[in-house]
Amino acid sequence: MYAIAGVTGNTGSVVAETLLAQGKQVRVIVRDAAKGEAWRVKGAEVAIADLSDRAALTRALTGVAGAYLLLPPDVTTKTPLESNAARTDVLVAAIQAARVPHVVFLSSIGAQHAEGTGPIRALHHAERKLAATGAALTFVRAAYFQENWGAALGMLPQGVLPTFIPAGFAYPQVATRDIGRTAAAALVEGGAGTQIIELAGPRDLTAHDVAAAAATLTGRPVAASEAPTSAVVPTFTGFGLSAEVSELFREMYEGIASGKVAWEGGKARFVRGSVSIDETLDI
Ligand SMILES: NC(=O)c1ccc[n+]([C@@H]2O[C@H](COP(=O)([O-])OP(=O)(O)OC[C@H]3O[C@@H](n4cnc5c(N)ncnc54)[C@H](OP(=O)(O)O)[C@@H]3O)[C@@H](O)[C@H]2O)c1
């Protein structure tokens, strides 16, 4: 039995679908019973637990061979690092109490660094805290999600693809489908000690590459348009994100452009997925 969190989201849904398709026993973790119903119909067990509820999460994780866990985004919080640290403490306590043998945790490129990476700082902290659980750990350090471009697609009718990263700078990007499949494979493989999978897409991409893919898909001209990182906070707060979260995103974009948000290498296993940006852009 594998417990899977985030099954209504990008990656957890793929982990659960992949394991069910292989005939594995799956227990989905949802915070709302109604959201579990579709999974029950597909043959999954349903556990109701908020990831910040230690007792409920411990019950959800008890008796499993492995669990897929993540820190879901919360873009409105004014204390992003503190609230992620508190949620990490709950994950750690529940993993220990349930004696989960193997945890596959969704982390990020750049999580080897404590600072200078924006929201990825929370994943650095989580990796270190999870090390104290005694569980075998697989950290899936995913590249920048290809799906992040979805937020920029609203400007395609004007022929513009906005970017806060220099448009000619190629950086790793991966589809969440590849993340889910990789995490499912890691669960089935089982864990021993701490393993790191650094997960990229088929090739690194510039904003020009993404604009070219969008132009081909829409049949209209699209050009990448660079905005300065000084515009990140005003733009993101305008979309309703807290100033604190927006500031972390500014730091992350600068970290990507400076090369700090990059692979660690060393003992990490480097994997390339197969899903292209053309397949991901839903235009
Ligand atoms: N974006 C990137 O470029 C990038 C790169 C590397 C790593 N990451 C990591 O990827 C994570 C996001 O993964 P994703 O895209 O798969 O997530 P997602 O699509 O945003 O889905 C989040 C999932 O978590 C669930 N959830 C949220 N709060 C919960 C709570 N309190 N208790 C229980 N379940 C809760 C949601 O369920 P509901 O339906 O109940 O809301 C949903 O199923 C980020 O947080 C980050 O750590 C992101």
Side-chain angles (χ1 to χ4, degrees):
M1 174 72 74
Y2 300 103
I4 317 294
V7 293
T8 58
N10 293 311
T11 60
S13 59
V14 180
V15 181
E17 291 280 7
T18 304
L19 293 175
L20 285 170
Q22 292 174 10
K24 307 290 185 205
Q25 287 186 300
V26 168
R27 181 186 298 158
V28 296
I29 304 172
V30 290
R31 52 180 169 170
D32 171 353
K35 290 184 176 175
E37 187 52 24
W39 291 102
R40 197 188 56 72
V41 170
K42 289 177 189 175
E45 224 178 72
V46 177
I48 316 293
D50 192 292
L51 293 176
S52 56
D53 179 338
R54 177 188 161 160
L57 187 58
T58 300
R59 284 193 294 277
L61 294 177
T62 296
V64 302
Y68 176 71
L69 297 172
L70 71 170
L71 285 177
D74 177 1
V75 295
T76 56
T77 177
K78 291 184 187 307
T79 54
L81 297 175
E82 294 78 356
S83 76
N84 271 315
R87 294 193 297 172
T88 298
D89 286 345
V90 174
L91 295 186
V92 166
I95 290 164
Q96 285 176 324
R99 297 179 187 277
V100 180
H102 180 210
V103 172
V104 176
F105 179 72
L106 178 56
S107 184
S108 171
I109 184 170
Q112 70 272 25
H113 299 300
E115 292 175 344
T117 58
I120 301 165
R121 289 198 235 166
L123 297 168
H124 171 84
H125 175 82
E127 285 194 6
R128 294 173 76 93
K129 285 285 186 175
L130 287 166
T133 58
L137 298 165
T138 304
F139 297 130
V140 178
R141 288 192 186 158
Y144 188 83
F145 289 3
Q146 291 179 358
E147 283 79 358
N148 294 345
W149 290 103
L153 298 184
M155 288 184 72
L156 285 191
Q158 290 109 286
V160 171
L161 184 80
T163 175
F164 289 114
I165 294 166
F169 181 75
Y171 54 101
Q173 303 181 35
V174 66
T176 53
R177 207 147 27 111
D178 277 329
I179 300 171
R181 289 174 186 158
T182 301
L187 281 171
V188 173
E189 193 180 308
T194 298
Q195 300 177 62
I196 297 171
I197 298 174
E198 298 200 307
L199 180 61
R203 66 186 180 97
D204 295 355
L205 297 166
T206 67
H208 290 313
D209 294 329
V210 181
T216 304
L217 289 165
T218 60
R220 280 188 256 147
V222 179
S225 167
E226 283 178 28
T229 52
S230 58
V232 172
V233 173
T235 304
F236 282 18
T237 52
F239 290 141
L241 277 66
S242 73
E244 293 77 3
V245 170
S246 304
E247 178 58 32
L248 287 176
F249 277 109
R250 183 196 58 74
E251 183 177 289
M252 183 188 76
Y253 290 129
E254 291 177 354
I256 293 173
S258 73
K260 177 145 196 175
V261 176
W263 304 122
E264 181 174 23
K267 288 187 191 149
R269 179 159 35 125
F270 182 73
V271 174
R272 280 202 182 275
S274 61
V275 180
S276 68
I277 187 71
D278 309 65
E279 292 170 80
T280 300
L281 293 179
D282 185 16
I283 304 170

